[in-house]
Amino acid sequence: MSRQLCARKRNSLPAMLAPLVAIAAMLAPGVGAATDTSAYPTKPINLIVAYAAGGGSDMVVRLLTPFIEKELGNNARIVVSNKPGAGGAIGFSELARSAPDGYTIGLINTPNVLTIPIERKTTFTWRSFDLLGNIVDDPGNFSVHADSPIKSLQELARQAKAAPGKISVGTTGTGSDDHLAMLLFQKIANVQMIHVPYKGASEVRTAAQGQQIDVAAVNIGEAQQFAKAGTPLRHLGVMSAARNPLAPDVPTFKEQGYDINLVSLRGLAAPKGLPADIRIRLVAATEKAIANPEFQKKATQAFAPVRYLAPDRYEAELKESDEQFQKLWKDMPWGEK
């Protein structure tokens, strides 16, 4: 064989082997995934909040995101996008239909993420999401303007009976925990009030401050935040089994004769179908961020009642609550007529 022919064959060997090497790399288990995961994230992560800026949901997310960024590394950047409206359905729908690539995550709130699909047709249910971890467990509460003559739930019931359909209650939307609390209070007290839905707790706060509504149905953590910021509010009752450490002087509804126990879980989720390796990264970053003592301190100062739930425990609580709300819907449908 001539030297020229041998040289040609040697030069063609790398070109012949290149496709085989590429195929072998793709077939090798975990090789590509490990490389991709170590680089994640390579661009900003969009975090959807289904309520207006300035409320409890928005606040806790903005407190937590710097800590998640730190845990993710790679100069991670999380951009919060507020998508309020329809009691949270607009934001939840956008989150559910986003690409499950780890670059869109969001906050989901109970009971809204459970109750909205019960009352009307939606493009999501709570099973549309990969759960990353629960952050907050915030009991419901009724507040009034500090100048209001209403100083207790009993007085609220008396005024509502004296003027049926006149007392207005602002909530964060139809099917929200605030709305359900109003309906349950009406049923137990045998009164009729006016429901005024808003896009988020910050809008309820503004309405209460301007005395455009008689009662602000907001979670106790949010109510305490607003009061600390200067909103003149009087809290009438908290909807937990025992008095809440965030507001130890506020009696429970049960203490006042109204056995109502409603809380709002607020946790992080992603569109269903996240790659397993990216989901592991996000779950671990969420858990470590919530456990960070500095975040815990900031959350306490902001009256955000932190309660971390890992994805499996979070799923179990959502499943149990969903079953309860399905039963409640049969007994007391809450959809607006």
Side-chain angles (χ1 to χ4, degrees):
M1 185 180 294
S2 70
R3 291 182 180 178
Q4 188 176 8
L5 180 58
C6 288
R8 283 201 301 268
K9 288 191 174 184
R10 282 196 300 269
N11 291 338
S12 66
L13 187 59
M16 294 170 60
L17 291 177
L20 298 177
V21 171
I23 292 170
M26 287 189 291
L27 293 176
V31 172
T35 303
D36 293 341
T37 305
S38 64
Y40 172 82
T42 60
K43 60 182 181 180
I45 298 170
N46 183 38
L47 196 161
I48 297 171
V49 176
Y51 300 93
S57 296
D58 179 72
M59 179 277 302
V60 76
V61 160
R62 292 181 190 274
L63 283 180
L64 184 62
T65 49
F67 297 92
I68 297 178
E69 290 171 340
K70 179 181 177 182
E71 295 298 337
L72 285 175
N74 293 330
N75 295 312
R77 181 173 170 235
I78 299 175
V79 179
V80 178
S81 300
N82 297 92
K83 303 290 183 180
I90 291 175
F92 300 151
S93 295
E94 181 166 335
L95 178 62
R97 67 172 176 262
S98 296
D101 56 7
Y103 289 99
T104 301
I105 60 176
L107 195 74
I108 59 172
N109 305 56
T110 66
N112 306 53
V113 75
L114 305 174
T115 56
I116 293 172
I118 293 174
E119 73 184 50
R120 60 185 186 266
K121 186 176 181 180
T122 62
T123 57
F124 69 89
T125 70
W126 71 271
R127 297 183 184 277
S128 303
F129 307 105
D130 279 335
L131 305 176
L132 305 178
N134 186 65
I135 310 166
V136 161
D137 184 338
D138 199 358
N141 158 79
F142 281 177
S143 294
V144 295
H145 192 280
D147 293 338
S148 171
I150 300 172
K151 293 181 170 60
S152 67
L153 294 177
Q154 289 86 352
E155 178 59 30
L156 173 61
R158 279 194 293 270
Q159 291 213 15
K161 283 182 179 178
K166 298 293 184 182
I167 298 292
S168 56
V169 182
T171 78
T172 53
T174 302
S176 66
D177 54 334
D178 316 315
H179 183 211
L180 296 182
M182 170 194 155
L183 295 177
L184 288 169
F185 182 79
Q186 286 186 148
K187 184 176 182 180
I188 295 172
N190 191 28
V191 298
Q192 186 64 40
M193 301 185 290
I194 301 171
H195 180 220
V196 185
Y198 291 93
K199 293 181 180 179
S202 60
E203 292 188 3
V204 179
R205 169 197 185 181
T206 301
Q209 187 165 7
Q211 296 181 280
Q212 298 162 3
I213 54 174
D214 298 301
V215 179
V218 290
N219 300 98
I220 190 61
E222 294 171 323
Q224 288 288 72
Q225 294 161 27
F226 299 155
K228 182 181 179 181
T231 305
L233 293 177
R234 178 189 302 122
H235 311 322
L236 300 183
V238 64
M239 301 170 205
S240 50
R243 293 200 181 197
N244 193 278
L246 296 178
D249 295 332
V250 180
T252 66
F253 269 57
K254 189 172 183 178
E255 283 179 71
Q256 300 177 73
Y258 305 93
D259 193 3
I260 300 174
N261 193 339
L262 277 176
V263 301
S264 175
L265 295 181
R266 299 175 198 146
L268 290 181
K272 196 76 172 179
L274 272 183
D277 46 8
I278 289 179
R279 184 179 183 186
I280 289 169
R281 288 281 304 279
L282 285 169
V283 168
T286 299
E287 180 178 8
K288 291 176 182 176
I290 294 172
N292 188 300
E294 188 178 350
F295 167 72
Q296 296 272 341
K297 181 180 178 181
K298 287 179 181 291
T300 300
Q301 291 171 341
F303 300 101
V306 174
R307 181 185 173 218
Y308 173 71
L309 293 174
D312 55 345
R313 290 184 57 207
Y314 192 12
E315 179 179 358
E317 292 224 6
L318 290 179
K319 183 176 183 295
E320 181 180 357
S321 295
D322 187 42
E323 292 170 355
Q324 292 172 349
F325 287 124
Q326 296 279 0
K327 291 177 183 176
L328 182 63
W329 174 256
K330 293 178 181 178
D331 298 334
M332 192 187 71
W334 56 78
E336 298 286 24
K337 301 292 187 291

